[in-house]
Amino acid sequence: MEDSREDWNLLLWTGLAVLLPILITLWCSFQRPKRKVQLKDLFRKSKHGWHYTDLFNKPTYCCVCTQPILQGAFCECCGICADEFCVRKADHTLPCKEIMAPVQADGSFLHRWVRGNVPLASYCTVCKQQCGTQPKLCDYRCVWCQITVHDDCKAGLSGGEQCDLGEFRSVIIPPQYLYQVNKLRRRHPDEYCKLAAACGSVWSPLLVLANTRSGNNMGEVLLGEFRTLLNPVQVFDLSEIAPAKALQLCTLLPPGAVRVLVCGGDGTVGWVLDAIDTMKLKGQDQFIPRVTILPLGTGNDLSNSLGWGSGYAGEIPIEQVIRNVLEAEVVKMDRWKVQVASKGNYFRKPKVLSMNNYFSVGPDALMALNFHAHREKTPSFFSSRIINKAVYFLYGTKDCLVQECKDLDKRIELELDGERVALPSLEGIIVCNIGYWGGGCRLWEGMGDEPCPPTRLDDGLLEVVGVFGSFHCAQIQVKLANPVRLGQAHTVRLVLKSSRMPMQVDGEPWAQGPCTITITHKTQALMLYHSAEQTDDDDEDSSASESHSGPAYENSLQNSYLSFVQ
């Protein structure tokens, strides 16, 4: 009997040892989605820009309970961190970075400190020793000027608690400026200039417009990094707010002082430039900003032409990106109107498009059309710049065998400034406004010593070339061949007499039947050019190479912002 009882006890404890971990795991698996739903609900109502993470990439301590955490949430704007169980308390007790605040009685602006989790390799502004070296929640960082200071050194700060907004004070919109603008009875450019006098003589606010769908999905990361350095109201997610709305903030700032950094591909830049044209139609010419680019797309030919490189993958810090923007010079860039009048549709208005880079008909437009069709079906597959270029290569190889665009010269007529141009046996025609094409190829200048007029962004001229097919395009890109130079013109007219042909404007393709295409000058945009003399060695190397906020936080910023512009 005793042996049998011992056997049953052993079986019971063995069963418990096996079943208990399984039951605990199942309970946790049911509770985890519930906690995530609760956190999402909290994030939706919060003024913080919470971002949940399963694993922090460096030693991190909760700003509430001061204990080490592996998973939890951090605010991408002010930088506070909290574990899952302390997020709610952190949300209620720790304020975030204010986008608008009244000035102090003496007119000063005070530091806004966050304790602990200071950036790696940061140094105390008082004793010049490294901060954040102790394995606990320690030391302070100002969310505006980004200085760090030891707990013991904080009382010895020169200047006390007054904050000067740090290195990037000339691009930050101070909270007190927006507060004073909101109090103005008469909103007039002269009033903005008076308020701007307190921000310094070289104040040039920077607006950041990021497309989270461009390139290697870096847009979300960049949004957080820029919100950390700037006033969050200056940073816009183009998936949440259209450029036309975002750019209305320019009308609350001194005329001619604003710079806009577009984080995205050439299509995103065109979208922003179209919004600027809308500002001109509204009579807001004096508030037109200067536009610069942080290239996240696949081709980035416009970025290349303006000296910003062929693609950004985080190789230089955001601080250096802002410094480069401050050093850039203003240039004018021609923008063009493309009218497509379909044959036989006399009662339908012509299709009108804006062109910054190039228009093409033929094999490169066919590759772009096939690429976009497949990307619409499986967008998750096209999240890498390398994959995108590989897909383009495959479609180019296919067209070399099929030659869908052959005998183009028999189906199309070309006129440059009203004069008919005799065409050789071509498969494609490319009309360029900028120097680069096809992801970094100098199309017009080409190779060798053959003389030709140089391309310029502001000369009011278009360069027109022809290609013999996809294989010829590939040869041009690796500098083994030149395109057929057909001429330069102020106005280009193409007549497609028969059949359907693939066409594209700045990478946006479509299939077009018989029509007449007329390309005329539209306007000029103010762009920022980054010259080679202003780059250091790291920047030159990078030019040669190629998280998600809570919806309530986005909405709270947008609602606060929209209250200004309305």
Side-chain angles (χ1 to χ4, degrees), residues 170-386:
S170 63
V171 298
I172 295 175
I173 301 178
Q176 64 268 28
Y177 176 88
L178 294 179
Y179 181 85
Q180 291 171 324
V181 166
N182 203 36
K183 293 293 184 182
L184 284 176
R185 293 183 179 180
R186 187 176 72 105
R187 292 191 174 181
H188 190 272
D190 293 340
E191 299 295 330
Y192 303 147
C193 292
K194 292 177 183 177
L195 295 179
C199 301
S201 58
V202 294
W203 189 49
S204 180
L206 177 67
L207 305 188
V208 179
L209 279 61
N211 186 350
T212 55
R213 299 186 181 95
S214 289
N216 292 345
N217 295 327
M218 286 198 63
E220 292 181 357
V221 177
L222 290 171
L223 284 170
E225 292 185 1
F226 279 113
R227 284 182 181 134
T228 298
L229 293 175
L230 308 175
N231 189 327
V233 80
Q234 298 174 242
V235 186
F236 299 92
D237 183 352
L238 293 181
S239 66
E240 301 286 340
I241 186 169
K245 277 287 185 184
L247 291 173
Q248 287 303 300
L249 182 56
C250 296
T251 63
L252 302 177
L253 297 166
V258 182
R259 300 174 185 231
V260 171
L261 176 61
V262 181
C263 305
D266 289 343
T268 306
V269 178
W271 190 17
V272 173
L273 292 179
D274 285 339
I276 291 176
D277 287 343
T278 302
M279 291 179 65
K280 294 179 181 178
L281 294 176
K282 292 180 179 179
Q284 299 172 342
D285 299 66
Q286 58 183 328
F287 297 108
I288 296 301
R290 281 71 174 147
V291 179
T292 184
I293 308 169
L294 187 62
L296 302 182
T298 301
N300 301 314
D301 292 304
L302 179 56
S303 172
N304 242 338
S305 299
L306 292 168
W308 298 105
S310 59
Y312 177 79
E315 59 273 5
I316 61 174
I318 292 300
E319 291 86 353
Q320 186 58 45
V321 171
I322 297 177
R323 294 184 193 108
N324 290 342
V325 171
L326 290 173
E327 294 172 353
E329 59 181 291
V330 180
V331 297
K332 292 182 179 180
M333 183 187 74
D334 295 319
R335 302 192 71 223
W336 301 82
K337 180 172 69 174
V338 180
Q339 286 186 310
V340 183
S342 299
K343 188 177 180 180
N345 293 329
Y346 301 108
F347 300 103
R348 183 182 299 176
K349 289 184 178 181
K351 180 179 180 180
V352 179
L353 303 168
S354 295
M355 185 185 87
N356 303 310
N357 299 359
Y358 38 72
F359 164 87
S360 69
V361 52
D364 66 324
L366 177 63
M367 286 186 281
L369 185 62
N370 289 331
F371 175 84
H372 277 256
H374 281 75
R375 186 166 65 175
E376 290 294 322
K377 293 180 182 178
T378 55
S380 59
F381 179 74
F382 297 87
S383 60
S384 167
R385 190 179 291 127
I386 296 176

Side-chain angles (χ1 to χ4, degrees), residues 364-534:
D364 66 324
L366 177 63
M367 286 186 281
L369 185 62
N370 289 331
F371 175 84
H372 277 256
H374 281 75
R375 186 166 65 175
E376 290 294 322
K377 293 180 182 178
T378 55
S380 59
F381 179 74
F382 297 87
S383 60
S384 167
R385 190 179 291 127
I386 296 176
I387 291 177
N388 293 350
K389 291 192 175 183
V391 173
Y392 264 105
F393 173 77
L394 291 175
Y395 282 126
T397 304
K398 175 186 174 183
D399 188 59
C400 289
L401 303 175
V402 179
Q403 291 184 315
E404 294 184 31
C405 302
K406 64 180 179 180
D407 298 326
L408 176 70
D409 56 300
K410 298 177 182 177
R411 292 184 271 177
I412 203 166
E413 295 178 357
L414 173 66
E415 292 181 5
L416 302 181
D417 288 338
E419 295 185 8
R420 178 82 174 271
V421 177
L423 298 176
S425 181
L426 298 173
E427 286 190 26
I429 295 175
I430 305 169
V431 182
C432 292
N433 178 48
I434 61 177
Y436 284 89
W437 164 86
C441 173
R442 299 287 297 183
L443 191 64
W444 180 253
E445 283 82 358
M447 53 179 286
D449 298 325
E450 183 181 348
C452 63
T455 59
R456 286 181 56 89
L457 294 171
D458 60 350
D459 59 0
L461 286 173
L462 294 166
E463 288 72 40
V464 186
V465 301
V467 294
F468 295 118
S470 296
F471 185 68
H472 187 207
C473 289
Q475 288 180 309
I476 293 170
Q477 287 184 319
V478 296
K479 299 182 180 180
L480 293 178
N482 281 330
V484 180
R485 295 190 182 96
L486 300 175
Q488 291 180 301
H490 297 89
T491 302
V492 176
R493 185 170 178 266
L494 299 100
V495 179
L496 180 59
K497 296 181 289 186
S498 61
S499 71
R500 292 176 68 83
M501 292 291 291
M503 299 182 181
Q504 70 160 337
V505 172
D506 291 352
E508 299 297 327
W510 75 96
Q512 178 66 47
C515 65
T516 299
I517 300 142
T518 307
I519 306 176
T520 55
H521 193 269
K522 180 183 179 182
T523 185
Q524 285 188 324
L526 297 176
M527 310 295 291
L528 292 176
Y529 178 79
H530 187 217
S531 63
E533 290 78 9
Q534 293 170 343

